[in-house]
Amino acid sequence: AGVKPDNAHIREAIKTNPPLVLFGSYNERMYAAESGCRAIFIPASFPGAIVRRSTGTPFMGYAGATYVVQEYVNALFDALFHILPLGTDLDRVEATPSRLTTTAVRPWDPDAQQILDDHVESEPFLVRISAAKRLRDRVDQDASQAGEERVTAQRVLQSLAAMMEAHA
């Protein structure tokens, strides 16, 4: 109590280990936006809006516990909405080739696999499978288009940079 938060530390923590759900003030919301973090934000501190719609805020007693649970579950559903692809997005991608028509799987160098694993580890837990598939598919597609027989660390870094640039 009485100690001011270390905003630089909070900003770095959000950037290096992005949460799926973020409780905080407007400051934390701003830090998440600056770093490209897609966390679902739940206002829980000042500065922020003064009026809240629940008698359980500030998170006291049964009503406060109910409010926190409701907000967290709603945040998880919102996160899921942003994770799952829309039907229109699915219609725009190439069809997944059948196993009978695909060629041998392109081998990955160990350091390339490590870069992929490290990137996936930095994603919120709930989205790691989707993030891994998205990055692996992009790297394989980029390597194929470049006529590369193996996936190298350089290829993963190039594909990851392109994905980050497109997402920003």
Side-chain angles (χ1 to χ4, degrees), residues 154-166:
Q154 184 65 26
R155 169 53 56 206
V156 176
L157 292 172
Q158 288 173 347
S159 297
L160 185 56
M163 286 178 70
M164 297 298 217
E165 185 177 305

Side-chain angles (χ1 to χ4, degrees), residues 2-160:
V3 177
K4 292 191 179 242
D6 182 351
N7 289 325
H9 176 72
I10 294 169
R11 178 183 270 136
E12 185 62 26
I14 290 171
K15 183 178 180 180
T16 58
N17 190 15
L20 185 61
V21 177
L22 177 64
F23 287 84
S25 70
Y26 189 81
N27 294 342
E28 286 78 20
R29 185 178 194 179
M30 184 175 54
Y31 302 152
E34 287 174 355
S35 68
C37 174
R38 298 182 301 177
I40 304 302
F41 176 75
I42 298 175
S45 181
F46 291 107
I50 295 174
V51 178
R52 293 282 175 245
R53 65 183 179 269
S54 171
T55 58
T57 53
F59 313 138
M60 294 173 60
Y62 179 78
T66 301
Y67 175 81
V68 168
V69 170
Q70 287 174 342
E71 287 298 309
Y72 191 77
V73 170
N74 288 337
L76 291 177
F77 277 106
D78 283 348
L80 190 60
F81 176 80
H82 295 293
I83 294 166
L84 298 175
L86 300 174
T88 52
D89 291 339
L90 292 173
D91 292 342
R92 285 188 291 209
V93 299
E94 295 177 25
T96 303
S98 72
R99 288 182 179 213
L100 298 175
T101 61
T102 57
T103 58
V105 176
R106 183 172 283 102
W108 281 57
D109 290 347
D111 53 344
Q113 183 64 47
Q114 187 61 51
I115 293 169
L116 177 115
D117 292 345
D118 290 346
H119 175 74
V120 170
E121 189 71 25
S122 72
E123 294 284 340
F125 184 76
L126 190 61
V127 301
R128 286 182 184 170
I129 292 172
S130 298
K133 180 173 180 356
R134 191 175 329 116
L135 180 55
R136 182 175 283 283
D137 289 349
R138 173 67 184 262
V139 170
D140 280 333
Q141 179 185 3
D142 291 349
S144 176
Q145 289 176 348
E148 298 167 353
E149 294 180 16
R150 304 186 59 76
V151 174
T152 62
Q154 184 65 26
R155 169 53 56 206
V156 176
L157 292 172
Q158 288 173 347
S159 297
L160 185 56

